[in-house]
């Protein structure tokens, strides 16, 4: 015969609530009340059979939960692995800023070699224009730096979907950005392997800080 503890472990919440009410109504112990409730749930089968079935049900649910958690953990690990940059790749970040928009443009960028050393840091004012032009000018700067460094494989991070989508489009692209797209592709053609990755602004803080810093520089300033 199952113990009170056995019944408590396998009873559903509504059955435990019902047994407490029944105990008060009939002035009997919670143990006896729960036994009556569970006997009703068991129907024609014995309490032992019901308890064993409920235990198997709980074990199955636990196994499913563990499997689901493991699947999520595996998916996260796979995603993190996929997002890891190629150790042989050069890494670049770019960002363009305008105050106001359109207005004075500042561009920022960084280029790191596969060892993680900053090879080029870019921060200069770039005349007047809108945010998309500023972003493209920043992209030109990191691409040119990569060409000068003769990087074989380059991963470029930026937070401008407009520019990243435009430079990678297989269609005509935005007409107003046509000349900039052409220039970017000319630079890309000088590199063996270029990959673009969009990142949110908060993850592009280094390039963003350099572009914001550039806004304060004289418009005649150019990189060395």
């Amino acid at each position: 015969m199952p113990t009170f503890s056995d019944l408590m472990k396998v009873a559903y919440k509504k059955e435990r609530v019902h047994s407490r009410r029944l105990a008060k109504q009939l002035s009997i112990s919670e143990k006896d009340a729960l036994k009556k409730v569970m006997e009703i749930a068991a129907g024609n089968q014995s309490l032992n059979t019901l308890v064993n079935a409920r235990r198997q049900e709980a074990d199955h649910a636990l196994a499913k939960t563990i499997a689901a958690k493991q699947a999520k953990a595996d998916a996260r690990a796979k995603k993190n692995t996929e997002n890891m940059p190629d150790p042989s790749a050069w890494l670049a970040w770019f960002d363009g800023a305008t105050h106001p928009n359109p207005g004075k443009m500042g561009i920022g960028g960084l280029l790191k070699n596969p060892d993680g050393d900053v090879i080029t840091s870019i921060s200069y004012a770039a005349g007047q224009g809108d945010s998309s032009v500023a972003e493209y000018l920043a992209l030109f700067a990191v691409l040119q730096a990569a060409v000068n460094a003769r990087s074989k494989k380059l991963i470029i991070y930026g937070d401008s979907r407009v520019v990243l989508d435009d430079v990678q489009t297989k269609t005509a692209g935005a007409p107003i950005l046509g000349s900039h797209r052409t220039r970017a592709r000319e630079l890309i053609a000088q590199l063996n392997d270029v990959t673009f990755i969009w990142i949110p602004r908060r993850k592009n803080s280094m390039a963003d800080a350099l572009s914001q810093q550039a806004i304060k520089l004289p418009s005649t300033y150019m990189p060395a």
Side-chain angles (χ1 to χ4, degrees), residues 58 84 105 110 127 164 181 208:
M84 290 279 290
M105 297 185 294
L110 285 170
L164 291 177
R181 183 169 56 256
D208 177 62

Side-chain angles (χ1 to χ4, degrees), residues 207-221:
D208 177 62
L210 290 168
S211 68
Q212 296 296 332
Q213 172 185 297
I215 292 290
K216 303 173 184 177
L217 298 173
S219 296
T220 54
Y221 177 83

